[in-house]
C-alpha cells in the first residue's frame, strides 16, 4: 500500500510522508539531541531482534546503512509501529517506545550529516537526533499498485487530468486533493502524472513506463 508524502523542507519541522520501506503514511517531528550509551541504549526497541523488515539489526540494537536519512529511519521504525526513532553517527538508526533516559545533549553534538542525505543531520558520536513518529489513519489516502493487465476503459466524459508532479508522492498528493480522483498513473521516465476518474487508465497511459496507483 502507498500513501502520499509532503516534502521535508526544513530539518526541524513536522513531516508527513510516504515511507518507501513500509508504504505507510507517517508523520515525524524533531524532538532534540539526546545522549546515548552503548549499554543500555536509550532507544532500545530493536533489542532481541535480528531483523526488522529487510534490514539486519546489529548487536548494538541498531540498523546501519550508507543511505541513512530521516525518511529511511522513520520507515524502518514504522515497521514495528514505534513512537520514536533516532539517527546517530551519520549511518545508524534506532527505534524505541521511550527516549531521554541518559539526558538531553547540546544541539552542537548532533551535527553530523546523514550518510544518505547531506541536507539532514543524523546525530553524532553516541548522540541521537530524536524524532516522534505517528501514524495518521486515512483510507482515502491509501494507494495500491495495480498491474495494468485489464483492457483500457473508454468514456464519453473527461476522465483523465494531467497535473504537474516531479515524483510519485507529488502525484498522489494531487489525487488525494480531489474527491473525484479514483486512481493516478505516474511515469518516472517522463516525470508525468495523470489523475483518473476511473480505476483503469486509457490505452495511451497504460504502457510499461506508467505505474498505476488505485486509491482506497
Amino acid at each position: 500500500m502507498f500513501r502520499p508524502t509532503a516534502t521535508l523542507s526544513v530539518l526541524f519541522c513536522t513531516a508527513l510522508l510516504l515511507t518507501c520501506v513500509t508504504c505507510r503514511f507517517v508523520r515525524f517531528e524533531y524532538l532534540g539531541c539526546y545522549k546515548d550509551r552503548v549499554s543500555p541504549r536509550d532507544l532500545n526497541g530493536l533489542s532481541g531482534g535480528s531483523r526488522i523488515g529487510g534490514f539486519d539489526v546489529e548487536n548494538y540494537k541498531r540498523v546501519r546503512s550508507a543511505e541513512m536519512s530521516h525518511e529511511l529511519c522513520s520507515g524502518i521504525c514504522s515497521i514495528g509501529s514505534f513512537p520514536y526513532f533516532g539517527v546517530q553517527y551519520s549511518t545508524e538508526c534506532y527505534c524505541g517506545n521511550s527516549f531521554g533516559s541518559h539526558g538531553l545533549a547540546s544541539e552542537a553534538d548532533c551535527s553530523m550529516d546523514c550518510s544518505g542525505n547531506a541536507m539532514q543531520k543524523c546525530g553524532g558520536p553516541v548522540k541521537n537526533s530524536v524524532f516522534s513518529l505517528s501514524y495518521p489513519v486515512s483510507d482515502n489516502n491509501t494507494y495500491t499498485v495495480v498491474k495494468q493487465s485489464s483492457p483500457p476503459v473508454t468514456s464519453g466524459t473527461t476522465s483523465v487530468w494531467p497535473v504537474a508532479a516531479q515524483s510519485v508522492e507529488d502525484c498522489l498528493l494531487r489525487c488525494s486533493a480531489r474527491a473525484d480522483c479514483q486512481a493516478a498513473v505516474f511515469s518516472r521516465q517522463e516525470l508525468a502524472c495523470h489523475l483518473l476518474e476511473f480505476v483503469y487508465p486509457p490505452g495511451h497511459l497504460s504502457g510499461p513506463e506508467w505505474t498505476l496507483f488505485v486509491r482506497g
Side-chain angles (χ1 to χ4, degrees):
M1 304 294 283
F2 283 80
R3 299 177 187 265
T5 174
T7 302
L8 180 65
S9 57
V10 182
L11 175 59
F12 302 143
C13 70
T14 300
L16 191 63
L17 77 156
L18 162 76
T19 65
C20 296
V21 175
T22 60
C23 302
R24 294 183 71 177
F25 195 40
V26 301
R27 186 188 302 274
F28 63 80
E29 183 175 4
Y30 181 71
L31 299 177
C33 181
Y34 285 83
K35 299 175 183 177
D36 196 12
R37 296 177 184 171
V38 173
S39 183
R41 286 293 184 188
D42 184 34
L43 291 160
N44 59 9
L46 299 181
S47 299
S50 59
R51 289 181 66 82
I52 181 167
F55 297 86
D56 291 327
V57 177
E58 298 183 350
N59 291 335
Y60 291 116
K61 313 310 176 190
R62 67 193 176 196
V63 170
R64 188 161 53 176
S65 171
E67 302 299 323
M68 189 55 62
S69 66
H70 300 166
E71 292 81 5
L72 177 57
C73 190
S74 68
I76 292 169
C77 294
S78 71
I79 296 173
S81 297
F82 290 102
Y84 304 104
F85 74 90
V87 281
Q88 181 179 143
Y89 203 57
S90 186
T91 62
E92 301 172 5
C93 174
Y94 298 86
C95 311
N97 294 306
S98 62
F99 71 97
S101 60
H102 303 312
L104 189 65
S106 167
E107 284 299 325
D109 291 334
C110 288
S111 60
M112 294 184 69
D113 294 342
C114 297
S115 57
N117 186 344
M119 299 298 293
Q120 299 175 346
K121 300 301 180 184
C122 278
V126 204
K127 304 293 188 300
N128 283 316
S129 297
V130 177
F131 296 78
S132 63
L133 187 57
S134 58
Y135 308 91
V137 176
S138 176
D139 289 340
N140 287 333
N141 289 325
T142 303
Y143 293 83
T144 302
V145 177
V146 177
K147 292 183 179 180
Q148 298 189 31
S149 57
S150 296
V153 173
T154 59
S155 171
T157 61
T158 301
S159 57
V160 180
W161 309 281
V163 295
Q166 295 299 307
S167 67
V168 170
E169 292 85 353
D170 287 343
C171 184
L172 300 188
L173 277 174
R174 302 301 190 276
C175 186
S176 294
R178 295 186 61 137
D180 56 355
C181 180
Q182 297 301 311
V185 287
F186 182 77
S187 169
R188 295 182 185 275
Q189 179 180 338
E190 300 183 18
L191 291 181
C193 172
H194 293 264
L195 309 184
L196 309 177
E197 184 179 4
F198 300 102
V199 171
Y200 295 107
H204 70 285
L205 298 177
S206 59
E209 70 274 17
W210 294 95
T211 302
L212 172 64
F213 299 86
V214 176
R215 186 177 183 180

